[in-house]
């Protein structure tokens, strides 16, 4: 079963940037479509960005043009480059398969503050 470890979160001011990383275990990582998800206080977990095994990407409207998802199958990693960040981006960010087939990692906290 695939497992994930997220990193790269932190504190950033509006307009700033962060790059999140997700390290996956498991020998068949490359066949999975992957996604970055986020969970904000008082809200349901939402899907932020997805990438297929062939690196086709998709984004929720609120992050289009600001976030970029990428993957490196050889290194079993998925990244989320976040630019022009807004306070509404504040959340704990997780990676997982898309659709979800594995357990959740610990996530990485992202806080955008003025």
């Amino acid at each position: 079963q695939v497992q994930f470890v997220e990193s790269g979160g932190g504190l950033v001011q509006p307009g700033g940037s962060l790059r999140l990383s997700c390290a996956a275990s498991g020998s068949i990582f490359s066949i999975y479509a992957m996604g970055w998800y986020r969970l904000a206080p008082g809200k349901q977990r939402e899907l932020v960005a997805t990438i297929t095994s062939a690196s086709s990407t998709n984004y929720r409207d609120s992050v289009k043009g600001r976030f970029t998802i990428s993957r490196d199958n050889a290194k079993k990693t998925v990244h989320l480059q976040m630019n022009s960040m807004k306070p509404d981006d504040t959340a704990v960010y997780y990676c997982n398969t898309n659709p979800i087939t594995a357990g959740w990692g610990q996530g990485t906290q992202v806080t955008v503050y003025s």
Side-chain angles (χ1 to χ4, degrees):
Q1 184 177 1
V2 181
Q3 295 181 315
F4 308 105
V5 177
E6 300 90 349
S7 62
L11 298 173
V12 64
Q13 292 186 319
S17 299
L18 284 174
R19 179 176 170 83
L20 306 183
S21 296
C22 168
S25 63
S27 61
I28 55 173
F29 167 79
S30 63
I31 72 170
Y32 291 106
M34 294 294 300
W36 278 98
Y37 304 77
R38 65 187 180 188
L39 180 61
K43 297 183 178 180
Q44 291 187 331
R45 199 187 316 256
E46 61 185 20
L47 181 59
V48 176
T50 63
I51 186 166
T52 68
S53 58
S55 294
S56 177
T57 60
N58 200 9
Y59 302 90
R60 68 183 302 110
D61 287 346
S62 61
V63 308
K64 282 181 180 177
R66 300 189 299 120
F67 290 11
T68 302
I69 188 172
S70 61
R71 68 189 295 163
D72 185 331
N73 288 336
K75 296 181 178 179
K76 298 182 183 178
T77 56
V78 182
H79 300 283
L80 186 67
Q81 177 67 43
M82 304 186 293
N83 299 327
S84 302
M85 296 183 69
K86 303 176 180 180
D88 284 349
D89 296 324
T90 295
V92 179
Y93 284 71
Y94 304 85
C95 67
N96 208 317
T97 58
N98 177 45
I100 296 165
T101 62
W104 295 101
Q106 84 287 351
T108 186
Q109 175 70 50
V110 171
T111 304
V112 184
Y113 69 102
S114 297

